[in-house]
Amino acid sequence: MPVVPISKVAVHLRPQDNVAVAARNLPAGAELQINGCEVVLERRIGLGHKLAVRQIRKGEPISKYGQIIGFASADIPAGGHVHVHNVSADAFERDYAFCRDCPPPPQRAEPRYFMGYDRGDGRYGTRNYLAIISTVNCSASTSKYISERIRTADLLRQYPNVDGVVAITHKAGCAMQHDGPDHNQLDRTLAGFAKHPNVAGYILVGLGCETGQALHLVEHQGLTQLTPLSRGSQNRALPTVITVQECGGIAKTVDAGVHAIAAMLPQANDVRRTKLSADKLILGTNCGGSDGNSGVTANPALGVASDLLVAQGGTSILAETPEIYGAEHLLTRRAVCRAVGEKLVERIKWWEWYTGIFGAEINNNPSPGNKDGGLTTIYEKSLGALAKAGTTPLVDVVGYAERVRTPGLVFMDTPGYDPPCTTGLVAGGANVLVFTTGRGSVLGLKPTPCIKVATNTPMFERMIDDMDLNAGDVLEGEPVESAGRRIFEMVLDVASGKQTKSERNGVGEEEFDPWHIGPTL
């Protein structure tokens, strides 16, 4: 077997890194040339896994992306497999150096456009849905029955400009502290979907006796609707509220809900796509089912797309607070002011407290699937996840499901778990989602289209019916910048109406999952 230079089969990200990332499966017995020396691999090293490019002594930091991702728990020879069996995620000090490395704002690029919906009130959509929003789990089935009745009655065929009717259901809405943190966060999330630019109109469906009363939601979140729903109208009215108890049961509530939605369909259908500048786009970024190549291919490519959008005057949202843990100092250094950086650190400290009261550790991440894909520690996962943020200044840090109002790169505090994370992003106003995955996540979330980007070619080809774009070409020599431009162009196409694979598969109703932070009483 010929000796192969390591550069042909692995990616060495930074000169100071003492590990490289396998760009393909490397069998035991493979002979590699590493730093002028011939090394025989003692064990198989899978795609996305790490191998040492020199000898690493026990206790020495493991470096990837030019940053510490852990510490050697045993001596590791050159060519050795670097993973959970010989790496520990010991704590280490991070220098937050607020604003020290804040780059200048990107130079405004030549304007790009997409075909979207101008709601006439400062909201700009990429889809045109009607929503049935359940205030409590007790009305979830009823809400679904309303949407199913409309579909089976073939009503939507008469209204081709309406993308669909979506039931927004969940498992909460009661047994929580009235007007407490969970109640208000749920209200904020539901209101974010009601006010979403991809939603032309909505109704609220409750049981009637729940803690999460529709009246509380309407009053505290200022819910109103344009009437009629077509662009240019400035007449506003309170939303339609239907409860099972007042209507007299499920069947009567379904009849009332179908009647209310049917009345909205002609007005929603009158809305037409129009040419809008790309600064109207709010991009939500997420990674899930990650592997060792997520931070090598798809995530940095998405970072390039993020930079391109910000250069248009648009907005890109980074999230998943537990999955920037250990890398947050790279964001605080890019903050536009100390106050923004300190908001991020406050959230990190809160998560340390929050996980601690349950006897958990943020280091419990990565998941078993992440580890199978080559991720070893939360620090490594975080550094790879952070690549989605590109290189522009961090302009704001917002709470979960809080409306994002500042153009540029914004951080939203969310869990790392994909459904509640993307739910918060959409509630905050994201009108396009880009989701990177190495293991093969299939998440979608109506009413916002979700673009899936694969980190490696084998998974992309295996799951071709669910993946929209392959960033695995980077492992074959495509520049990251080129892959990032492909993502940006797809964002514009999808924003203009091109269907994503998750939309074709009908995915996106079950994934609505508000984050709950308190007890169920």
Side-chain angles (χ1 to χ4, degrees):
M1 180 180 295
V3 178
V4 179
I6 190 173
S7 60
K8 298 291 186 180
V9 295
V11 179
H12 192 218
L13 294 166
R14 302 287 188 277
Q16 64 268 44
D17 290 352
N18 52 17
V19 298
V21 183
R24 63 194 65 174
N25 292 318
L26 304 176
E31 298 181 22
L32 303 181
Q33 187 176 67
I34 303 176
N35 291 330
C37 300
E38 294 182 8
V39 173
V40 178
L41 299 186
E42 296 182 356
R43 59 192 296 178
R44 175 186 179 275
I45 298 177
L47 171 69
H49 284 247
K50 296 173 292 301
L51 65 156
V53 298
R54 61 172 177 80
Q55 186 180 36
I56 305 173
R57 298 291 187 186
K58 181 179 180 180
E60 188 177 344
I62 307 294
S63 178
K64 182 182 176 184
Y65 309 110
Q67 300 288 327
I68 295 172
I69 65 167
F71 297 85
S73 57
D75 290 341
I76 306 173
H81 185 202
V82 180
H83 201 30
V84 292
H85 63 288
N86 54 17
V87 178
S88 60
D90 299 341
F92 66 98
E93 291 294 324
R94 276 94 76 189
D95 180 5
Y96 290 131
F98 297 105
C99 314
R100 189 184 71 186
D101 301 326
C102 183
Q107 185 175 359
R108 194 66 178 259
E110 181 179 349
R112 298 294 304 278
Y113 300 90
F114 70 101
M115 297 299 293
Y117 297 99
D118 182 350
R119 299 296 179 189
D121 58 357
R123 297 179 302 141
Y124 303 94
T126 62
R127 294 294 183 268
N128 192 34
Y129 278 95
L130 292 176
I132 303 154
I133 300 176
S134 181
T135 61
V136 66
N137 180 250
C138 306
S139 59
S141 292
T142 303
S143 298
K144 286 187 175 183
Y145 296 156
I146 296 170
S147 65
E148 289 169 2
R149 173 85 69 82
I150 291 168
R151 291 167 190 159
T152 56
D154 216 18
L155 276 175
L156 293 176
R157 186 183 295 273
Q158 305 170 43
Y159 304 102
N161 296 322
V162 178
D163 289 304
V165 175
V166 57
I168 305 297
T169 65
H170 52 96
K171 304 300 182 186
C174 204
M176 56 188 176
Q177 179 186 355
H178 184 268
D179 206 33
D182 252 347
H183 188 182
N184 290 320
Q185 183 155 288
L186 177 61
D187 272 6
R188 188 166 66 247
T189 306
L190 295 175
F193 276 68
K195 298 175 180 179
H196 197 276
N198 290 356
V199 174
Y202 62 94
I203 62 172
L204 302 176
V205 180
L207 177 62
C209 59
E210 61 268 21
T211 304
Q213 289 286 308
L215 181 61
H216 187 279
L217 171 62
V218 170
E219 290 183 346
H220 284 70
Q221 297 297 324
L223 291 189
T224 59
Q225 288 200 104
L226 289 175
T227 55
L229 301 176
S230 55
R231 186 191 182 282
S233 168
Q234 296 303 314
N235 298 317
R236 306 198 72 90
L238 294 176
T240 298
V241 177
I242 304 170
T243 66
V244 177
Q245 291 169 353
E246 289 187 3
C247 282
I250 291 176
K252 294 175 183 176
T253 308
V254 172
D255 288 341
V258 170
H259 178 78
I261 292 293
M264 293 180 179
L265 281 168
Q267 297 167 351
N269 192 63
D270 285 343
V271 183
R272 297 291 190 274
R273 288 186 181 271
T274 186
K275 186 177 181 180
L276 300 173
S277 56
D279 64 346
K280 306 300 190 296
L281 290 174
I282 301 178
L283 174 65
T285 66
N286 187 245
C287 55
S290 301
D291 69 354
N293 281 313
S294 293
V296 178
T297 62
N299 287 355
L302 180 50
V304 170
S306 171
D307 286 352
L308 291 172
L309 180 59
V310 171
Q312 292 287 326
T315 304
S316 180
I317 315 173
L318 181 69
E320 303 178 277
T321 315
E323 295 187 8
I324 65 157
Y325 187 72
E328 71 275 7
H329 59 289
L330 300 180
L331 281 177
T332 60
R333 298 177 185 196
R334 288 164 54 184
V336 292
C337 64
R338 186 180 182 93
V340 169
E342 287 181 338
K343 284 170 70 175
L344 180 60
V345 173
E346 186 276 327
R347 289 290 82 201
I348 292 290
K349 299 302 182 185
W350 182 89
W351 273 93
E352 290 177 334
W353 167 83
Y354 180 62
T355 54
I357 63 174
F358 296 105
E361 294 181 358
I362 302 179
N363 288 348
N364 287 344
N365 214 333
S367 70
N370 295 152
K371 292 175 181 177
D372 286 345
L375 291 173
T376 302
T377 68
I378 185 57
Y379 306 136
E380 179 184 10
K381 188 176 183 181
S382 295
L383 288 162
L386 196 64
K388 302 193 301 292
T391 62
T392 60
L394 177 67
V395 299
D396 201 5
V397 175
V398 300
Y400 183 80
E402 183 180 337
R403 184 177 177 184
V404 175
R405 302 177 184 274
T406 308
L409 175 65
V410 175
F411 185 84
M412 178 181 285
D413 180 32
T414 77
Y417 183 38
D418 303 324
C421 173
T422 50
T423 295
L425 289 170
V426 173
N431 50 18
V432 179
L433 293 171
V434 174
F435 191 116
T436 65
T437 179
R439 304 288 289 173
S441 175
V442 295
L443 184 141
L445 185 61
K446 296 177 181 178
T448 295
C450 182
I451 299 168
K452 297 294 190 332
V453 180
T455 74
N456 64 85
T457 300
M459 188 276 287
F460 176 79
E461 293 176 344
R462 188 171 65 252
M463 299 185 65
I464 189 67
D465 294 331
D466 301 285
M467 297 296 117
D468 296 287
L469 187 144
N470 181 26
D473 291 343
V474 171
L475 297 177
E476 305 301 324
E478 181 187 19
V480 169
E481 291 74 15
S482 171
R485 289 189 175 277
R486 287 196 289 126
I487 294 174
F488 178 67
E489 294 299 329
M490 182 168 282
V491 166
L492 294 178
D493 288 344
V494 167
S496 297
K498 179 181 179 179
Q499 277 200 325
T500 65
K501 296 290 181 66
S502 63
E503 288 179 301
R504 292 183 197 174
N505 290 330
V507 176
E509 253 180 273
E510 300 296 335
E511 287 73 15
F512 178 78
D513 185 12
W515 176 27
H516 304 293
I517 55 177
T520 299
L521 303 176

